[in-house]
Structures are given as structure tokens and as C-alpha cells.
Amino acid sequence: MPVSATAAAAPTATAAATDAASDAAVCAPLPVLGRDVLVPLVTGGEVEYAALDIAASAPALQRVWDDVAAYAPYYGSVHRGAGYLSQLSTDLFENSRAAVADFLGCREGDQVVFTRSTTDSLNLLAAVLPADTRVFVFETEHHASLLPWEQRADVEVTYLDAPRTPRQAVDTLERALAEREPYRNALVCVTGASNVTGELWPVRELAAAAHAHGARIVLDAAQLAPHHPVDIAELDVDWVAFSGHKLYAPFGAGVLAGRADWLQAAEPYLAGGGASRTVARRADGGVDVDWHTTAARHEAGSPNVIGVYAIAAACKALTEAGFEGLVAREQRLVERVRAGLAEVPEVTVLSLFGDDAPRVGVLSFVVEGWNSSHFAAALSAEYGIGVRDGLFCAHPLVRTLLGAESEAPGECGAPEGAPGERSLNAIRVSFGAGTPDEHVDRFVQAVKELVTQGARWSYRTEDGRCVPDTAA
């Protein structure tokens, strides 16, 4: 029977409607807690809070909150109890480990160790390094990946200068590795996405360079994992570290995942229950301890099962939402912010690799004639926009980008001067899967208004921060 023109056209129309619905779903921000919170403006009235500091801590995904709330009545001890809730919690904890391993594309034999944060994860790795290891780390790293290695007296650290292109980063690392003693263990530590500029680093190429010279590599994925897929096997890194509170799961847990051999060979990160299999008194009065060789070896104490479950829930939520669509939407927001800031000559966006470098939803900038703390305070008080100002726990990098001397003073997030005085700090705006378009548009408009019209309120310094002068 021949098909009528009307019938033939129907599938095309249906497909178009389906595509449109799919596009709409891709473009919609993921539901997060606090999306509708109203905050007071110093100029009067209230406005919906624009949380544009998610590089510091992201709000909880609604899905994560709902999953945690559903589990909470069943909370119990992990790996310890014979009761139903303990058994259920233990299963939940270990299933969460498997979910994180899937999210990261872990290889057979890799271990997923739960920690408190990225900082804790990298300190754990520093603690298990074999003696006489040499660590190579770029000065551009966050302090969490810049500083832990210095805590070991038997580990040597080589700091590499800030590269100005991805190719230069690889070349710099290759030269440094080629000069090291070939018999020594070596570890390279590198970020996946800068917490200052948002720029993506050439992780796969750096991993290839490390392995070609017999070194291992750990990826600080704190800023990468919330914005971009992270696959250990594909990137060919030895370890990955990240935090739940940056992955829309702010419940106090983190992850170190990767090769098991150094973890198994080292003494436990913390000594205590859970890390030990058996403990027995010796005849001489001491104790003999048989430590676990699994991830439990470095997870002493009662586990943060809610924090761990929250990370697993976030991993599942991001995966099910589809990273391809999330990345595409975020890139549209990045371009809107960059285009808007480019229209303001007084604004300088900070970058290592140049304007065309791919980046996640993290940008830092300075405004001519403004102390960054003053500008950030005005964004908050007059527009209800939360951003970050300071050195972002990446002092050497920000000083390099601002052209300051390395010995210039400064504290994480704390400016040095009063409003109107020059100080060594910048402004960071960051956004992601839960950010509404309106918040980004409001931010761009606020920047333009503050630069062209100035602040509408007066501000003063209090405890090192710029705050509205309530006496005004």
C-alpha cells in the first residue's frame, strides 16, 4: 500500500520534535540546592543568589541530596557490624567504590582509596612514595599538589617554571626528566584544569613523556572532573585525585585512585582500626600488626559513608546527564563570559596558554583601577553575585600571571590593601553544570556597570577583607 504524503511527513516532524526536546534537555542546567536562595542587596531588596564560585565548592546536585536523604535513615557502621543497617551500609560503601572506579575508567588492579579531599589524597600519595623519589611539579599547581611533597625529607622536589604553551609544558618536563638519575623513582604531578585560568593541560602528552622516562604521573583532577570526563586508562595516568565538594557532593570526602603497588608497599597513612587485619601482643610486650593490602590499608577509622555515597551519586548523575551535553553547554557559557569581558577594555583575563586555549568554566581577571577585593565585594553586595578574589591557593601561578615578584606577600583569598589601593590579587568567576544562563548574564552586565558607573555603595576594610560600610 502506498504511503500518503501526510504519513510520510510525520516521522520527520516527530524526529524534529525529539531533537528539539533533546537540545532543550542538554541546554538546561542540572538541578542544584540553593538555586532559588534569595540574598539581600546593600542597596535594598533581594535577588536570587548567583553562585559563581563553584571552583571553590560546588553546590550539591539535587540528585545527590535526594540519594543521601533516602539513605540517611539506614545509616550504620561500615565493615564493623553484623546488624542489618551495618551490612547495608557496608554494601553501599563498597558499591560506591565500584561506581567511582567506573566513573574514572580504572584499570584492572587499580585501587580506589577514599580520603577527605584532593589535598588529603595528594598528601596520602606523598606519604607512600618510596624513599629517594624525585617529584617534578610545575609552579602553576594549586597548593594541594604543590606542597605535600616537601613534607618528606627523603624526597627531592624539582619545581618547573610556568610554561606558556602546552607544547612548552611537555618539552620542559621531558628536559627535566632526562636530566634526572635514571635509577631513581620519579613522580610527575600535574593539574588537569587550572583552578586559576580554567585552561586544560596536555595530560595525555605529559603522561607519555613521564612514562617514556620511567616516571609515574598523578593527575590533580579537582577542577577537571566536575567539568569533563576523566578516564585513567585513556589518559594513561598512574593516579587521579579529586574532591567530592567540587563534584557537587559537598559531604567531606575525596578520592585517590590508581596503581596499587606503592600503596600496598607503604606503611598505612593512618594507623588504627580498619587499616589492620590482626593485632597481637608479642612476648617482649610490643605488638605485631598485619595490615590490609586493599584500599582499607589507608582508610583507618570509621569511614565517611555518607560522603562516599554522595560522590558515587554525583558520578552517576553526571554520567547519566551526559558529559557531551554538559561540556557543550558549559562552553557556550564560557564564550558568553569571555565575549562580555572582552567588551570592557579595563578588564584583563589571565591566561597561560593564550585566548584560544580550551578551558573549563573557570576564569580569573583583574580590572584596571580596582582592587580585586573591592570589585568582588561590590558584585556580592550590589548584585548578589558570589565570586572569589585573592590568589586562589596558587600563589606562584597568580604572581607569574600578574607579573609580580615571587616574594610578593599574600594569603589565600585575603587581599593586602584597602579599597582603591593596589594589591596582589585577582577575581575568579567559575560556573558549571548547575549554573543558570541568567547568572552568567547578570555577572557580565554587573562587570560592565561597575567599570563604567562605579560602585553605588562605599566599602571599608574589616579583618583583611573589603566589606560594605554599613554606616554609609
Side-chain angles (χ1 to χ4, degrees):
M1 178 182 298
V3 180
S4 69
T6 302
T12 302
T14 301
T18 300
D19 290 344
S22 176
D23 289 344
V26 167
C27 292
L30 297 184
V32 295
L33 292 185
R35 169 66 177 80
D36 301 321
V37 167
L38 298 178
V39 295
L41 300 180
V42 71
T43 51
E46 294 181 325
V47 68
E48 184 180 279
Y49 183 64
L52 298 181
D53 186 24
I54 72 165
S57 282
L61 287 173
Q62 185 66 52
R63 157 78 177 273
V64 171
W65 184 263
D66 291 344
D67 285 354
V68 167
Y71 161 66
Y74 300 93
Y75 172 80
S77 62
V78 177
H79 298 147
R80 308 288 196 276
Y84 178 81
L85 297 189
S86 292
Q87 294 296 307
L88 185 149
S89 295
T90 297
D91 287 345
L92 191 81
F93 187 81
E94 293 304 330
N95 287 336
S96 296
R97 198 188 305 276
V100 171
D102 288 342
F103 180 74
L104 294 175
C106 287
R107 302 151 298 210
E108 184 177 357
D110 282 344
Q111 285 188 349
V112 173
V113 180
F114 289 118
T115 65
R116 296 176 297 174
S117 60
T118 308
T119 302
D120 195 32
S121 295
L122 293 171
N123 274 271
L124 163 58
L125 185 59
V128 306
L129 294 180
D132 205 32
T133 296
R134 189 170 179 183
V135 178
F136 297 83
V137 56
F138 286 93
E139 67 172 349
T140 48
E141 292 292 312
H142 185 281
H143 295 170
S145 48
L146 189 72
L147 302 180
W149 328 106
E150 291 278 6
Q151 307 307 303
R152 290 279 302 274
D154 56 351
V155 167
E156 182 179 346
V157 186
T158 297
Y159 294 104
L160 307 175
D161 292 340
R164 287 301 184 167
T165 66
R167 181 67 255 173
Q168 188 181 43
V170 177
D171 291 344
T172 298
L173 177 62
E174 286 184 329
R175 285 194 299 272
L177 289 171
E179 294 172 357
R180 93 178 208 277
E181 298 86 342
Y183 61 86
R184 297 180 67 176
N185 287 309
L187 176 71
V188 176
C189 180
V190 67
T191 189
S194 171
N195 77 302
V196 176
T197 68
E199 291 166 309
L200 297 174
W201 277 62
V203 176
R204 188 180 293 104
E205 292 81 358
L206 290 167
H211 293 153
H213 290 275
R216 300 189 183 191
I217 184 168
V218 57
L219 170 63
D220 175 354
Q223 297 297 339
L224 184 63
H227 303 273
H228 214 277
V230 175
D231 190 300
I232 287 181
E234 181 182 348
L235 294 173
D236 197 24
V237 295
D238 297 280
W239 293 278
V240 167
F242 72 89
S243 294
H245 73 98
K246 297 186 189 297
L247 195 77
Y248 308 97
F251 294 89
V255 169
L256 177 67
R259 295 181 60 162
D261 54 349
W262 285 3
L263 293 166
Q264 293 174 346
E267 290 297 305
Y269 183 45
L270 297 173
S276 57
R277 286 192 291 200
T278 62
V279 179
R281 288 293 300 273
R282 296 195 305 265
D284 63 4
V287 295
D288 286 322
V289 184
D290 180 20
W291 302 105
H292 279 293
T293 57
T294 62
R297 184 182 189 88
H298 301 291
E299 294 177 343
S302 295
N304 177 6
V305 60
I306 287 182
V308 165
Y309 182 47
I311 288 181
C315 291
K316 292 177 182 178
L318 292 172
T319 300
E320 291 170 6
F323 259 116
E324 182 177 349
L326 295 176
V327 170
R329 177 179 181 275
E330 184 174 309
Q331 288 310 301
R332 288 195 288 272
L333 295 181
V334 169
E335 292 309 313
R336 284 164 75 165
V337 171
R338 292 181 63 187
L341 295 181
E343 295 174 357
V344 187
E346 293 83 355
V347 170
T348 300
V349 176
L350 305 182
S351 174
L352 270 176
F353 300 151
D355 290 341
D356 296 331
R359 68 180 73 205
V360 299
V362 178
L363 297 94
S364 295
F365 62 98
V366 292
V367 184
E368 182 181 345
W370 283 81
N371 175 287
S372 294
S373 177
H374 187 193
F375 200 88
L379 284 173
S380 174
E382 300 178 28
Y383 296 91
I385 298 170
V387 296
R388 178 61 61 96
D389 68 280
L391 301 179
F392 319 124
C393 290
H395 294 187
L397 171 56
V398 178
R399 287 169 180 154
T400 294
L401 295 173
L402 295 179
E405 296 297 327
S406 60
E407 64 270 17
E411 294 181 20
C412 289
E416 299 81 27
E421 296 180 358
R422 183 185 183 279
S423 64
L424 185 64
N425 59 331
I427 307 154
R428 184 181 69 190
V429 57
S430 52
F431 43 87
T435 305
D437 291 21
E438 184 275 328
H439 290 183
V440 166
D441 294 338
R442 193 199 319 169
F443 163 76
V444 171
Q445 183 60 30
V447 170
K448 293 178 179 179
E449 290 182 6
L450 285 172
V451 170
T452 58
Q453 302 171 22
R456 292 172 288 173
W457 203 264
S458 60
Y459 295 81
R460 60 185 174 81
T461 300
E462 182 178 291
D463 296 330
R465 292 213 57 82
C466 192
V467 298
D469 189 348
T470 55

